[in-house]
Amino acid sequence: MRLSRYFLPVLKETPSEAQIVSHRLMLRAGMIRQQAAGIYSWLPLGYKVLKKVEQIVHEEQQRAGHIPLLMPTLQSADLWRESGRYDDYGEEMLRITDRHGRDMLYGPTNEEMITDIFRSYVRSYKDLPLTLYHIQWKFRDEVRPRFGVMRGREFLMKDGYNFDLTVEDALHAYNRHLVSYIRTYERMGLQAIPMRADSGPIGGDDTHEFLVLADTGESEVFYDAAVTDIKLGKREIDYDSHEACHAVMEEFTSLYARTDETHDAALFEQVPEERRRVARGIEVGQIFFFGTKYSEVMGATVQGPDGKPTPVQMGSHGIGVSRLLGALIEANHDDKGIIWPEGVTPFHVGIVNLKQGDAEADGACEALYKSFEALGLEPLYDDRDERAGGKFATMDIIGLPWRITVGPRGLKNGVVEVTSRRTGESEELTPELAIAKIAKIYADL
Amino acid sequence: MRLSRYFLPVLKETPSEAQIVSHRLMLRAGMIRQQAAGIYSWLPLGYKVLKKVEQIVHEEQQRAGHIPLLMPTLQSADLWRESGRYDDYGEEMLRITDRHGRDMLYGPTNEEMITDIFRSYVRSYKDLPLTLYHIQWKFRDEVRPRFGVMRGREFLMKDGYNFDLTVEDALHAYNRHLVSYIRTYERMGLQAIPMRADSGPIGGDDTHEFLVLADTGESEVFYDAAVTDIKLGKREIDYDSHEACHAVMEEFTSLYARTDETHDAALFEQVPEERRRVARGIEVGQIFFFGTKYSEVMGATVQGPDGKPTPVQMGSHGIGVSRLLGALIEANHDDKGIIWPEGVTPFHVGIVNLKQGDAEADGACEALYKSFEALGLEPLYDDRDERAGGKFATMDIIGLPWRITVGPRGLKNGVVEVTSRRTGESEELTPELAIAKIAKIYADL
């Protein structure tokens, strides 16, 4: 993309409503615009990151064998009356009346609807196991929406639901989700620690939240510092294997790590003192096993191997897709702006032309631009007629991990400058080596 | 995908509510499920086609230089009071009150919001031309939703908005959209004829609708038969060239083609009698030029080259993404089911194993499956333990354009059977040649 043709409204001033750094930076980098309290437009740069995050979530869900579909944003109230949650849910549920006076609602979650889909089609245990998920906009009418997309009202969430014959199979689905979530976050360059959590209005026995450590997190968290050393890395996990998924679950959840809701001071005391940590965290996902809570009341049964109708064992599993952008920035920024991890960066590399209009500099930038495109990478070329300082400031605030600076002086020596946004370190390379260096970084992801 | 692990609830019976063939087939092929009047879940197969259609729309919009973003589904009523449309829009607008009593609405279109975004950031004519678009769920509270996704209440639409300094530039944007739309539909295997149309509540001077000819279309259309011979094909069009886009617009719109709203019997009489056609059409897109209708009332001005504030010239341009699935099926089916064009098929090829459990047949199917995956194609392998007739019926109704049938008898002769869903013709080929044949079809798209 050539910046002269893009729509990137970078702001010099920080809008006064932004209290936390991710909100400030998303506004300043031209990623979002507030349209109403807790409701945002995703401007082109923000939309691009949102799609990258969404794509990683899709890929990892499908790698785990989960099947995508898409449920609508609006739901009939009748479905929620079946489960009893229509009256229970409180004012966070946005209730709507259509022109015929029918009670509707903007879905805050989808346990009822997915259970309805399941019971409408599935009759036999032979069609299990089954996990269906979607990534769709939700609405929760928060009293005080704040922190930008971290606590918005209209937000994008991945919610998945497993249907299994036995508790054991459902717990495997739980573990499988845990593995897939860890891989999802790691691909984004995030460490999200699974912590034993409270089940809240979804109900259920087993539940873990995934928390990204950040000073601005809404939850107080207590953990054994050793938990942050555990990584999944590039291990291949067989998602069909109960043992393999269980082993990863054990590995990631055996050390003490809890939110304030489930914190147990006596247990925490058993962690060696030098490893005890109290910090803050941002919740970016949660997994639940809730058994037959919905299947019994809504009649989601299958014929079991014994021929008898059996309510299915279920769980639900969510990733806060839009909120992840806030968490990513909280965990990756400095005083100059955002620092995108390579896995989610909106553009792979920025090209800064120090002397727009200079034939040689323009030509070198064009050649770099086309080379990156030919490699399937997306460069952002700042081809505006603006001074170098302004171009650097734009690149710094929008946070592309790699920048190539092209100017007449370097070109005389046959080099361009490659700069890491994270370390600030630069090196001079020939254009060919600069391209090769950056291509390799992305190929190795 | 292996069918044994997929969720494809094919129905034997046609639900009674479906009046038209696309609605019947989408229900029977397990593509959609009605959740409330005019509100659907997109089951896995339907979701897959929806994403393919959406992806083509994205690619062609970006090829034309249009910039994607994403506006929210819910909007503040205040914005619509500025334009005067809050009171004008009538009962099709779904009006919502949030917990604080604020008036909101579920966006039926986005002229106001995009104009608000534009006026918030763009100050100078130097930032023009600019076309922003998004693909987002909309809601129109139709009195009588019907015909499945063809006239739903919650529907997916691409809507794009151009901002230009001069009428001439805005008309170029109009023509550019026309070209990009024709290419979009052609890639989907659809012929959508641009017809002079009525502007309706959007307002505006110039507008064309794009209509797919189908007996079940909601509009009566009148056209010169010669218009159906015009194709864009693989011509490269320079979207920056006013002349090139204008020439395509002239080519596609000079012959008589109008909907009943703008039909002119006297003009139609001038078409040679043997070429006069009266038929029905499904509207799948519309482009509008409306000048300063919104920019003046909402204060979307830029500083012009003369230093004076100038209201921008705008247009809006829509493609009915979810409705396209209905139109595609109306135009591509037979009495056995859907026949997907290659450009939008949910899976590229179906593999039918005639003797599941037979080591040789299973092995040959697995080898085919892996070969297609290695080529980047998506096969759907019917690996269920079911009789051949049931497997063929499933493949026929879901409409994959190519099927490979594998059985012990053929394998003895070293061949499998490749069948075209559209023609019904089969040929026996070695597995290698079968793969090569199908790979070439998709490579040539």
Side-chain angles (χ1 to χ4, degrees), chain A residues 38 75 131 139 142 182 206 209 221 227 235 245 249 257 269 276 314-315 329 349 397 437:
Chain A
Q75 306 186 16
T131 294
F139 201 92
E142 302 263 359
I182 291 170
D206 279 286
E209 282 181 350
V221 298
V227 82
R235 279 183 260 172
C245 292
M249 186 275 287
E269 285 286 312
R276 272 179 233 152
M314 292 175 59
I329 295 172
V349 57
I397 197 158
K437 178 191 171 89

mmCIF file with all atom_site columns, all heavy atoms in Angstrom, chain A residues 38 75 131 139 142 182 206 209 221 227 235 245 249 257 269 276 314-315 329 349 397 437:
data_model
loop_
_atom_site.group_PDB
_atom_site.id
_atom_site.type_symbol
_atom_site.label_atom_id
_atom_site.label_alt_id
_atom_site.label_comp_id
_atom_site.label_asym_id
_atom_site.label_entity_id
_atom_site.label_seq_id
_atom_site.pdbx_PDB_ins_code
_atom_site.Cartn_x
_atom_site.Cartn_y
_atom_site.Cartn_z
_atom_site.occupancy
_atom_site.B_iso_or_equiv
_atom_site.pdbx_formal_charge
_atom_site.auth_seq_id
_atom_site.auth_comp_id
_atom_site.auth_asym_id
_atom_site.auth_atom_id
_atom_site.pdbx_PDB_model_num
ATOM 1   N N   . GLY A 1 38  ? -18.669 3.003   23.700 1.00 0.00 ? 38  GLY A N   1
ATOM 2   C CA  . GLY A 1 38  ? -18.346 1.582   23.579 1.00 0.00 ? 38  GLY A CA  1
ATOM 3   C C   . GLY A 1 38  ? -18.611 0.973   22.222 1.00 0.00 ? 38  GLY A C   1
ATOM 4   O O   . GLY A 1 38  ? -18.648 -0.248  22.091 1.00 0.00 ? 38  GLY A O   1
ATOM 5   N N   . GLN A 1 75  ? -31.165 -12.374 18.046 1.00 0.00 ? 75  GLN A N   1
ATOM 6   C CA  . GLN A 1 75  ? -31.761 -13.648 18.420 1.00 0.00 ? 75  GLN A CA  1
ATOM 7   C C   . GLN A 1 75  ? -33.185 -13.411 18.923 1.00 0.00 ? 75  GLN A C   1
ATOM 8   O O   . GLN A 1 75  ? -33.527 -12.322 19.366 1.00 0.00 ? 75  GLN A O   1
ATOM 9   C CB  . GLN A 1 75  ? -30.938 -14.312 19.534 1.00 0.00 ? 75  GLN A CB  1
ATOM 10  C CG  . GLN A 1 75  ? -29.465 -14.454 19.193 1.00 0.00 ? 75  GLN A CG  1
ATOM 11  C CD  . GLN A 1 75  ? -28.700 -15.248 20.251 1.00 0.00 ? 75  GLN A CD  1
ATOM 12  O OE1 . GLN A 1 75  ? -29.299 -15.932 21.085 1.00 0.00 ? 75  GLN A OE1 1
ATOM 13  N NE2 . GLN A 1 75  ? -27.380 -15.179 20.194 1.00 0.00 ? 75  GLN A NE2 1
ATOM 14  N N   . THR A 1 131 ? -17.517 -30.065 17.570 1.00 0.00 ? 131 THR A N   1
ATOM 15  C CA  . THR A 1 131 ? -17.311 -28.723 18.114 1.00 0.00 ? 131 THR A CA  1
ATOM 16  C C   . THR A 1 131 ? -17.574 -27.708 17.018 1.00 0.00 ? 131 THR A C   1
ATOM 17  O O   . THR A 1 131 ? -16.949 -27.760 15.954 1.00 0.00 ? 131 THR A O   1
ATOM 18  C CB  . THR A 1 131 ? -15.881 -28.539 18.667 1.00 0.00 ? 131 THR A CB  1
ATOM 19  O OG1 . THR A 1 131 ? -15.713 -29.390 19.801 1.00 0.00 ? 131 THR A OG1 1
ATOM 20  C CG2 . THR A 1 131 ? -15.656 -27.092 19.104 1.00 0.00 ? 131 THR A CG2 1
ATOM 21  N N   . PHE A 1 139 ? -22.968 -8.018  21.650 1.00 0.00 ? 139 PHE A N   1
ATOM 22  C CA  . PHE A 1 139 ? -23.251 -6.752  22.310 1.00 0.00 ? 139 PHE A CA  1
ATOM 23  C C   . PHE A 1 139 ? -23.520 -7.002  23.780 1.00 0.00 ? 139 PHE A C   1
ATOM 24  O O   . PHE A 1 139 ? -24.295 -7.895  24.131 1.00 0.00 ? 139 PHE A O   1
ATOM 25  C CB  . PHE A 1 139 ? -24.463 -6.061  21.670 1.00 0.00 ? 139 PHE A CB  1
ATOM 26  C CG  . PHE A 1 139 ? -24.505 -4.579  21.947 1.00 0.00 ? 139 PHE A CG  1
ATOM 27  C CD1 . PHE A 1 139 ? -23.933 -3.683  21.065 1.00 0.00 ? 139 PHE A CD1 1
ATOM 28  C CD2 . PHE A 1 139 ? -25.114 -4.074  23.088 1.00 0.00 ? 139 PHE A CD2 1
ATOM 29  C CE1 . PHE A 1 139 ? -23.954 -2.306  21.311 1.00 0.00 ? 139 PHE A CE1 1
ATOM 30  C CE2 . PHE A 1 139 ? -25.144 -2.709  23.344 1.00 0.00 ? 139 PHE A CE2 1
ATOM 31  C CZ  . PHE A 1 139 ? -24.570 -1.824  22.451 1.00 0.00 ? 139 PHE A CZ  1
ATOM 32  N N   . GLU A 1 142 ? -22.790 -2.562  28.626 1.00 0.00 ? 142 GLU A N   1
ATOM 33  C CA  . GLU A 1 142 ? -22.056 -2.202  29.833 1.00 0.00 ? 142 GLU A CA  1
ATOM 34  C C   . GLU A 1 142 ? -22.547 -0.861  30.375 1.00 0.00 ? 142 GLU A C   1
ATOM 35  O O   . GLU A 1 142 ? -22.809 0.064   29.596 1.00 0.00 ? 142 GLU A O   1
ATOM 36  C CB  . GLU A 1 142 ? -20.561 -2.026  29.506 1.00 0.00 ? 142 GLU A CB  1
ATOM 37  C CG  . GLU A 1 142 ? -19.890 -3.233  28.901 1.00 0.00 ? 142 GLU A CG  1
ATOM 38  C CD  . GLU A 1 142 ? -19.164 -4.038  29.958 1.00 0.00 ? 142 GLU A CD  1
ATOM 39  O OE1 . GLU A 1 142 ? -19.175 -3.637  31.129 1.00 0.00 ? 142 GLU A OE1 1
ATOM 40  O OE2 . GLU A 1 142 ? -18.604 -5.097  29.592 1.00 0.00 ? 142 GLU A OE2 1
ATOM 41  N N   . ILE A 1 182 ? -3.641  -21.677 23.619 1.00 0.00 ? 182 ILE A N   1
ATOM 42  C CA  . ILE A 1 182 ? -2.244  -21.312 23.884 1.00 0.00 ? 182 ILE A CA  1
ATOM 43  C C   . ILE A 1 182 ? -1.506  -21.092 22.570 1.00 0.00 ? 182 ILE A C   1
ATOM 44  O O   . ILE A 1 182 ? -0.762  -20.126 22.403 1.00 0.00 ? 182 ILE A O   1
ATOM 45  C CB  . ILE A 1 182 ? -1.572  -22.386 24.750 1.00 0.00 ? 182 ILE A CB  1
ATOM 46  C CG1 . ILE A 1 182 ? -2.182  -22.349 26.157 1.00 0.00 ? 182 ILE A CG1 1
ATOM 47  C CG2 . ILE A 1 182 ? -0.057  -22.176 24.809 1.00 0.00 ? 182 ILE A CG2 1
ATOM 48  C CD1 . ILE A 1 182 ? -1.788  -23.512 27.037 1.00 0.00 ? 182 ILE A CD1 1
ATOM 49  N N   . ASP A 1 206 ? -15.712 -26.676 35.507 1.00 0.00 ? 206 ASP A N   1
ATOM 50  C CA  . ASP A 1 206 ? -14.323 -26.401 35.197 1.00 0.00 ? 206 ASP A CA  1
ATOM 51  C C   . ASP A 1 206 ? -14.253 -25.175 34.330 1.00 0.00 ? 206 ASP A C   1
ATOM 52  O O   . ASP A 1 206 ? -14.970 -25.076 33.329 1.00 0.00 ? 206 ASP A O   1
ATOM 53  C CB  . ASP A 1 206 ? -13.721 -27.580 34.424 1.00 0.00 ? 206 ASP A CB  1
ATOM 54  C CG  . ASP A 1 206 ? -13.313 -28.686 35.372 1.00 0.00 ? 206 ASP A CG  1
ATOM 55  O OD1 . ASP A 1 206 ? -12.301 -28.519 36.056 1.00 0.00 ? 206 ASP A OD1 1
ATOM 56  O OD2 . ASP A 1 206 ? -14.040 -29.698 35.446 1.00 0.00 ? 206 ASP A OD2 1
ATOM 57  N N   . GLU A 1 209 ? -9.524  -19.028 32.747 1.00 0.00 ? 209 GLU A N   1
ATOM 58  C CA  . GLU A 1 209 ? -9.378  -17.803 31.972 1.00 0.00 ? 209 GLU A CA  1
ATOM 59  C C   . GLU A 1 209 ? -7.948  -17.729 31.460 1.00 0.00 ? 209 GLU A C   1
ATOM 60  O O   . GLU A 1 209 ? -7.039  -18.263 32.099 1.00 0.00 ? 209 GLU A O   1
ATOM 61  C CB  . GLU A 1 209 ? -9.609  -16.572 32.847 1.00 0.00 ? 209 GLU A CB  1
ATOM 62  C CG  . GLU A 1 209 ? -11.056 -16.274 33.138 1.00 0.00 ? 209 GLU A CG  1
ATOM 63  C CD  . GLU A 1 209 ? -11.208 -15.021 33.999 1.00 0.00 ? 209 GLU A CD  1
ATOM 64  O OE1 . GLU A 1 209 ? -10.187 -14.510 34.507 1.00 0.00 ? 209 GLU A OE1 1
ATOM 65  O OE2 . GLU A 1 209 ? -12.336 -14.597 34.163 1.00 0.00 ? 209 GLU A OE2 1
ATOM 66  N N   . VAL A 1 221 ? -4.107  -10.752 39.674 1.00 0.00 ? 221 VAL A N   1
ATOM 67  C CA  . VAL A 1 221 ? -3.757  -12.163 39.481 1.00 0.00 ? 221 VAL A CA  1
ATOM 68  C C   . VAL A 1 221 ? -2.603  -12.546 40.408 1.00 0.00 ? 221 VAL A C   1
ATOM 69  O O   . VAL A 1 221 ? -1.762  -11.711 40.764 1.00 0.00 ? 221 VAL A O   1
ATOM 70  C CB  . VAL A 1 221 ? -3.386  -12.467 38.003 1.00 0.00 ? 221 VAL A CB  1
ATOM 71  C CG1 . VAL A 1 221 ? -4.566  -12.191 37.088 1.00 0.00 ? 221 VAL A CG1 1
ATOM 72  C CG2 . VAL A 1 221 ? -2.170  -11.683 37.555 1.00 0.00 ? 221 VAL A CG2 1
ATOM 73  N N   . VAL A 1 227 ? 5.448   -20.166 35.998 1.00 0.00 ? 227 VAL A N   1
ATOM 74  C CA  . VAL A 1 227 ? 4.440   -20.430 34.970 1.00 0.00 ? 227 VAL A CA  1
ATOM 75  C C   . VAL A 1 227 ? 4.754   -19.659 33.686 1.00 0.00 ? 227 VAL A C   1
ATOM 76  O O   . VAL A 1 227 ? 4.389   -20.083 32.586 1.00 0.00 ? 227 VAL A O   1
ATOM 77  C CB  . VAL A 1 227 ? 3.021   -20.100 35.520 1.00 0.00 ? 227 VAL A CB  1
ATOM 78  C CG1 . VAL A 1 227 ? 2.704   -18.614 35.429 1.00 0.00 ? 227 VAL A CG1 1
ATOM 79  C CG2 . VAL A 1 227 ? 1.969   -20.921 34.810 1.00 0.00 ? 227 VAL A CG2 1
ATOM 80  N N   . ARG A 1 235 ? 5.883   -27.353 19.047 1.00 0.00 ? 235 ARG A N   1
ATOM 81  C CA  . ARG A 1 235 ? 5.514   -28.761 19.239 1.00 0.00 ? 235 ARG A CA  1
ATOM 82  C C   . ARG A 1 235 ? 4.276   -29.130 18.423 1.00 0.00 ? 235 ARG A C   1
ATOM 83  O O   . ARG A 1 235 ? 3.300   -28.386 18.394 1.00 0.00 ? 235 ARG A O   1
ATOM 84  C CB  . ARG A 1 235 ? 5.145   -29.003 20.703 1.00 0.00 ? 235 ARG A CB  1
ATOM 85  C CG  . ARG A 1 235 ? 6.304   -29.189 21.618 1.00 0.00 ? 235 ARG A CG  1
ATOM 86  C CD  . ARG A 1 235 ? 5.769   -29.495 22.998 1.00 0.00 ? 235 ARG A CD  1
ATOM 87  N NE  . ARG A 1 235 ? 5.788   -28.326 23.858 1.00 0.00 ? 235 ARG A NE  1
ATOM 88  C CZ  . ARG A 1 235 ? 5.237   -28.284 25.077 1.00 0.00 ? 235 ARG A CZ  1
ATOM 89  N NH1 . ARG A 1 235 ? 4.584   -29.337 25.559 1.00 0.00 ? 235 ARG A NH1 1
ATOM 90  N NH2 . ARG A 1 235 ? 5.329   -27.206 25.811 1.00 0.00 ? 235 ARG A NH2 1
ATOM 91  N N   . CYS A 1 245 ? -3.338  -33.967 24.779 1.00 0.00 ? 245 CYS A N   1
ATOM 92  C CA  . CYS A 1 245 ? -3.954  -32.698 25.190 1.00 0.00 ? 245 CYS A CA  1
ATOM 93  C C   . CYS A 1 245 ? -3.987  -32.581 26.712 1.00 0.00 ? 245 CYS A C   1
ATOM 94  O O   . CYS A 1 245 ? -3.780  -31.492 27.270 1.00 0.00 ? 245 CYS A O   1
ATOM 95  C CB  . CYS A 1 245 ? -5.362  -32.572 24.611 1.00 0.00 ? 245 CYS A CB  1
ATOM 96  S SG  . CYS A 1 245 ? -5.366  -32.379 22.806 1.00 0.00 ? 245 CYS A SG  1
ATOM 97  N N   . MET A 1 249 ? -2.412  -29.643 29.126 1.00 0.00 ? 249 MET A N   1
ATOM 98  C CA  . MET A 1 249 ? -3.237  -28.980 30.151 1.00 0.00 ? 249 MET A CA  1
ATOM 99  C C   . MET A 1 249 ? -2.546  -29.060 31.507 1.00 0.00 ? 249 MET A C   1
ATOM 100 O O   . MET A 1 249 ? -2.425  -28.053 32.217 1.00 0.00 ? 249 MET A O   1
ATOM 101 C CB  . MET A 1 249 ? -4.621  -29.632 30.188 1.00 0.00 ? 249 MET A CB  1
ATOM 102 C CG  . MET A 1 249 ? -5.630  -28.954 31.093 1.00 0.00 ? 249 MET A CG  1
ATOM 103 S SD  . MET A 1 249 ? -5.522  -29.493 32.810 1.00 0.00 ? 249 MET A SD  1
ATOM 104 C CE  . MET A 1 249 ? -6.217  -31.146 32.686 1.00 0.00 ? 249 MET A CE  1
ATOM 105 N N   . ALA A 1 257 ? -1.773  -20.370 39.598 1.00 0.00 ? 257 ALA A N   1
ATOM 106 C CA  . ALA A 1 257 ? -2.083  -19.181 38.791 1.00 0.00 ? 257 ALA A CA  1
ATOM 107 C C   . ALA A 1 257 ? -3.579  -18.966 38.879 1.00 0.00 ? 257 ALA A C   1
ATOM 108 O O   . ALA A 1 257 ? -4.364  -19.744 38.338 1.00 0.00 ? 257 ALA A O   1
ATOM 109 C CB  . ALA A 1 257 ? -1.661  -19.380 37.334 1.00 0.00 ? 257 ALA A CB  1
ATOM 110 N N   . GLU A 1 269 ? 0.530   -19.625 49.559 1.00 0.00 ? 269 GLU A N   1
ATOM 111 C CA  . GLU A 1 269 ? 1.629   -19.664 50.525 1.00 0.00 ? 269 GLU A CA  1
ATOM 112 C C   . GLU A 1 269 ? 2.592   -20.815 50.234 1.00 0.00 ? 269 GLU A C   1
ATOM 113 O O   . GLU A 1 269 ? 3.760   -20.773 50.610 1.00 0.00 ? 269 GLU A O   1
ATOM 114 C CB  . GLU A 1 269 ? 1.075   -19.839 51.951 1.00 0.00 ? 269 GLU A CB  1
ATOM 115 C CG  . GLU A 1 269 ? 0.441   -18.576 52.520 1.00 0.00 ? 269 GLU A CG  1
ATOM 116 C CD  . GLU A 1 269 ? 1.493   -17.550 52.910 1.00 0.00 ? 269 GLU A CD  1
ATOM 117 O OE1 . GLU A 1 269 ? 2.463   -17.912 53.589 1.00 0.00 ? 269 GLU A OE1 1
ATOM 118 O OE2 . GLU A 1 269 ? 1.336   -16.379 52.482 1.00 0.00 ? 269 GLU A OE2 1
ATOM 119 N N   . ARG A 1 276 ? 6.553   -16.099 44.152 1.00 0.00 ? 276 ARG A N   1
ATOM 120 C CA  . ARG A 1 276 ? 5.176   -15.590 44.274 1.00 0.00 ? 276 ARG A CA  1
ATOM 121 C C   . ARG A 1 276 ? 5.054   -14.231 43.597 1.00 0.00 ? 276 ARG A C   1
ATOM 122 O O   . ARG A 1 276 ? 5.847   -13.335 43.864 1.00 0.00 ? 276 ARG A O   1
ATOM 123 C CB  . ARG A 1 276 ? 4.793   -15.430 45.750 1.00 0.00 ? 276 ARG A CB  1
ATOM 124 C CG  . ARG A 1 276 ? 4.213   -16.672 46.361 1.00 0.00 ? 276 ARG A CG  1
ATOM 125 C CD  . ARG A 1 276 ? 3.878   -16.431 47.832 1.00 0.00 ? 276 ARG A CD  1
ATOM 126 N NE  . ARG A 1 276 ? 4.508   -17.465 48.651 1.00 0.00 ? 276 ARG A NE  1
ATOM 127 C CZ  . ARG A 1 276 ? 4.892   -17.317 49.920 1.00 0.00 ? 276 ARG A CZ  1
ATOM 128 N NH1 . ARG A 1 276 ? 4.705   -16.151 50.531 1.00 0.00 ? 276 ARG A NH1 1
ATOM 129 N NH2 . ARG A 1 276 ? 5.442   -18.307 50.562 1.00 0.00 ? 276 ARG A NH2 1
ATOM 130 N N   . MET A 1 314 ? -21.586 -30.677 27.317 1.00 0.00 ? 314 MET A N   1
ATOM 131 C CA  . MET A 1 314 ? -21.178 -29.491 26.557 1.00 0.00 ? 314 MET A CA  1
ATOM 132 C C   . MET A 1 314 ? -20.178 -28.611 27.312 1.00 0.00 ? 314 MET A C   1
ATOM 133 O O   . MET A 1 314 ? -20.030 -28.706 28.523 1.00 0.00 ? 314 MET A O   1
ATOM 134 C CB  . MET A 1 314 ? -22.405 -28.619 26.236 1.00 0.00 ? 314 MET A CB  1
ATOM 135 C CG  . MET A 1 314 ? -23.371 -29.222 25.261 1.00 0.00 ? 314 MET A CG  1
ATOM 136 S SD  . MET A 1 314 ? -24.867 -28.170 25.058 1.00 0.00 ? 314 MET A SD  1
ATOM 137 C CE  . MET A 1 314 ? -24.137 -26.616 24.479 1.00 0.00 ? 314 MET A CE  1
ATOM 138 N N   . GLY A 1 315 ? -19.556 -27.759 26.536 1.00 0.00 ? 315 GLY A N   1
ATOM 139 C CA  . GLY A 1 315 ? -18.731 -26.706 27.091 1.00 0.00 ? 315 GLY A CA  1
ATOM 140 C C   . GLY A 1 315 ? -18.773 -25.533 26.133 1.00 0.00 ? 315 GLY A C   1
ATOM 141 O O   . GLY A 1 315 ? -19.168 -25.690 24.975 1.00 0.00 ? 315 GLY A O   1
ATOM 142 N N   . ILE A 1 329 ? -1.537  -4.366  22.347 1.00 0.00 ? 329 ILE A N   1
ATOM 143 C CA  . ILE A 1 329 ? -0.856  -3.065  22.451 1.00 0.00 ? 329 ILE A CA  1
ATOM 144 C C   . ILE A 1 329 ? -0.400  -2.805  23.888 1.00 0.00 ? 329 ILE A C   1
ATOM 145 O O   . ILE A 1 329 ? 0.694   -2.292  24.115 1.00 0.00 ? 329 ILE A O   1
ATOM 146 C CB  . ILE A 1 329 ? -1.757  -1.933  21.923 1.00 0.00 ? 329 ILE A CB  1
ATOM 147 C CG1 . ILE A 1 329 ? -1.988  -2.141  20.419 1.00 0.00 ? 329 ILE A CG1 1
ATOM 148 C CG2 . ILE A 1 329 ? -1.131  -0.560  22.176 1.00 0.00 ? 329 ILE A CG2 1
ATOM 149 C CD1 . ILE A 1 329 ? -3.006  -1.200  19.810 1.00 0.00 ? 329 ILE A CD1 1
ATOM 150 N N   . VAL A 1 349 ? 6.325   -4.511  6.516  1.00 0.00 ? 349 VAL A N   1
ATOM 151 C CA  . VAL A 1 349 ? 7.496   -3.633  6.516  1.00 0.00 ? 349 VAL A CA  1
ATOM 152 C C   . VAL A 1 349 ? 7.085   -2.249  6.034  1.00 0.00 ? 349 VAL A C   1
ATOM 153 O O   . VAL A 1 349 ? 6.208   -2.118  5.174  1.00 0.00 ? 349 VAL A O   1
ATOM 154 C CB  . VAL A 1 349 ? 8.616   -4.244  5.621  1.00 0.00 ? 349 VAL A CB  1
ATOM 155 C CG1 . VAL A 1 349 ? 8.128   -4.481  4.193  1.00 0.00 ? 349 VAL A CG1 1
ATOM 156 C CG2 . VAL A 1 349 ? 9.881   -3.390  5.606  1.00 0.00 ? 349 VAL A CG2 1
ATOM 157 N N   . ILE A 1 397 ? 4.570   5.393   15.427 1.00 0.00 ? 397 ILE A N   1
ATOM 158 C CA  . ILE A 1 397 ? 3.310   5.267   16.160 1.00 0.00 ? 397 ILE A CA  1
ATOM 159 C C   . ILE A 1 397 ? 2.484   4.085   15.662 1.00 0.00 ? 397 ILE A C   1
ATOM 160 O O   . ILE A 1 397 ? 1.865   3.381   16.464 1.00 0.00 ? 397 ILE A O   1
ATOM 161 C CB  . ILE A 1 397 ? 2.495   6.586   16.154 1.00 0.00 ? 397 ILE A CB  1
ATOM 162 C CG1 . ILE A 1 397 ? 1.456   6.494   17.273 1.00 0.00 ? 397 ILE A CG1 1
ATOM 163 C CG2 . ILE A 1 397 ? 1.831   6.861   14.825 1.00 0.00 ? 397 ILE A CG2 1
ATOM 164 C CD1 . ILE A 1 397 ? 0.960   7.814   17.735 1.00 0.00 ? 397 ILE A CD1 1
ATOM 165 N N   . LYS A 1 437 ? 16.555  -10.429 4.426  1.00 0.00 ? 437 LYS A N   1
ATOM 166 C CA  . LYS A 1 437 ? 16.495  -10.469 5.891  1.00 0.00 ? 437 LYS A CA  1
ATOM 167 C C   . LYS A 1 437 ? 15.041  -10.450 6.379  1.00 0.00 ? 437 LYS A C   1
ATOM 168 O O   . LYS A 1 437 ? 14.635  -11.249 7.224  1.00 0.00 ? 437 LYS A O   1
ATOM 169 C CB  . LYS A 1 437 ? 17.250  -9.252  6.461  1.00 0.00 ? 437 LYS A CB  1
ATOM 170 C CG  . LYS A 1 437 ? 17.215  -9.152  7.987  1.00 0.00 ? 437 LYS A CG  1
ATOM 171 C CD  . LYS A 1 437 ? 17.743  -7.790  8.460  1.00 0.00 ? 437 LYS A CD  1
ATOM 172 C CE  . LYS A 1 437 ? 17.500  -7.597  9.950  1.00 0.00 ? 437 LYS A CE  1
ATOM 173 N NZ  . LYS A 1 437 ? 18.576  -8.095  10.792 1.00 0.00 ? 437 LYS A NZ  1
#
